[in-house]
Amino acid sequence: MTNYLNKGLQDRKEKIQDAVNYLNQTKELFQKFGQQELTHVVTKFDDIHKSLDSGEEVKLVVIGEFSRGKSTLVNALLDILLLRSAQEATTAINTFVRKLPEGISQRFIRIHFQDGNFQDIQWLENDTETLEKWSTELDTTHASARQQLDRIEIFTSHPLLDQGLVLIDTPGLQSVIEYHEGITRRAIDEAHIAIWVQSTQQLGGNATEWKFLSKTIRKNFNKFLTVVNMWDSVLEPQDPFDQQKTLEEREAQKYQHVKNNFKKNLEDVSEHDLEIMTNSDHLIGVSAAWALSQDENKRSQSNIDKLSQRISEMLSTGEALDEI
């Protein structure tokens, strides 16, 4: 699964390098042959160059209500057990996962406070308490301290992160306080790709999610993917009525339920745009738990490869390419 994402990130870096080469050639030609009265324009080349350098980061934000498996999905995309996940509400703070700074070899956590200060905390390989204490609701002893936080950054080594991928795990929308809701909205605006995670247990999203997302989706629907997590309950249903249906029937019914909710909650959106939002490129059923399984058969059925391939395609087109 990481191969698809790695290829997409490499392709994007090559396009950035092509743009830098064109920029340098244009600057050289302009300096040689540009009219004297327009030489002040040359100063803009440096700004464009800096913009392209900063464009090496690719931000992928994961949003949705609690207990949808957002943290598990982030783990599945990286193919490692990094973020803590549980059935109850876990992620309490917007958490940015990115590569280690140059010259640093040990992973660490950076705690950003709302007053602008930050604190770096060493994060040892076997340490399961530090991240839980600062970023999740599973630790109740630091609940008041977490109210003072702005965001958390996790710096660690991983092939995808080293290529510039930044994964952003967000709190459940229903429990998020207003301050962190603003950070989540900014993360969506600045992201190249946004994944809205639903689950088979509550298809189509709830009122809180639609209230939060309706305007955001309208504005950025081309970079939105809707992932229906826990798809294993469709592949291997426990419900006796579902068991009587074929896999094709079960999948079609689940997808149609989500599509109906899009139409219901986005009545003023055109049929054409709704079709794009809910086609097979933008609506994908995934089992993040199966993707992390040791069972190769379950991993192959998890659809994580399909999601990774779709993200890889988006890295070379659309939102992820606009700045280049």
Side-chain angles (χ1 to χ4, degrees), residues 62-73 86-91 137 169-177 181 184 195-199 201-213 227 229-230:
V62 182
I63 59 175
E65 197 49 271
F66 69 90
S67 299
R68 302 289 194 265
K70 299 192 300 297
S71 297
T72 306
L73 184 64
Q87 283 302 104
E88 63 267 36
T90 48
T91 303
E137 296 180 8
D169 189 23
T170 62
L173 299 175
Q174 198 166 32
S175 59
V176 70
I177 63 174
E181 179 180 317
T184 300
I195 297 180
W196 179 17
V197 182
Q198 300 184 15
S199 78
Q201 276 68 44
Q202 188 163 0
L203 284 174
N206 61 28
T208 304
E209 290 172 293
W210 279 110
K211 181 180 178 181
F212 179 91
L213 288 164
V227 168
N229 198 12
M230 307 177 191

Side-chain angles (χ1 to χ4, degrees), residues 98-249:
R98 57 191 355 135
K99 68 178 181 180
L100 288 166
E102 192 171 343
I104 304 295
S105 59
Q106 297 295 323
R107 71 177 191 172
F108 67 96
I109 301 169
R110 178 167 291 170
I111 311 296
H112 290 266
F113 297 93
Q114 294 178 20
D115 62 7
N117 293 317
F118 67 86
Q119 176 186 357
D120 288 345
I121 302 174
Q122 188 178 19
W123 190 28
L124 301 176
E125 288 298 325
N126 296 320
D127 180 2
T128 60
E129 295 181 359
T130 300
L131 188 59
E132 180 175 306
K133 177 173 68 176
W134 288 105
S135 71
T136 78
E137 296 180 8
L138 299 174
D139 184 301
T140 58
T141 61
H142 281 69
S144 59
R146 285 196 297 268
Q147 297 294 316
Q148 307 305 313
L149 299 187
D150 180 275
R151 66 192 186 281
I152 290 175
E153 289 182 291
I154 297 174
F155 293 92
T156 188
S157 179
H158 186 280
L160 296 179
L161 302 179
D162 294 343
Q163 287 268 44
L165 183 66
V166 177
L167 288 166
I168 307 166
D169 189 23
T170 62
L173 299 175
Q174 198 166 32
S175 59
V176 70
I177 63 174
E178 185 176 353
Y179 181 86
H180 293 116
E181 179 180 317
I183 296 175
T184 300
R185 288 191 182 279
R186 288 200 304 275
I188 295 171
D189 288 339
E190 296 172 3
H192 299 92
I193 300 171
I195 297 180
W196 179 17
V197 182
Q198 300 184 15
S199 78
T200 53
Q201 276 68 44
Q202 188 163 0
L203 284 174
N206 61 28
T208 304
E209 290 172 293
W210 279 110
K211 181 180 178 181
F212 179 91
L213 288 164
S214 58
K215 292 183 179 179
T216 307
I217 290 179
R218 284 188 180 91
K219 186 171 63 174
N220 301 305
F221 74 87
N222 281 315
K223 72 177 176 184
F224 260 90
L225 295 175
T226 301
V227 168
V228 182
N229 198 12
M230 307 177 191
W231 201 248
D232 45 285
S233 68
V234 179
L235 301 172
E236 289 187 357
Q238 303 300 311
D239 183 88
F241 293 99
D242 278 343
Q243 290 173 350
Q244 296 175 19
K245 304 170 187 173
T246 66
L247 174 58
E248 290 74 16
E249 289 173 334

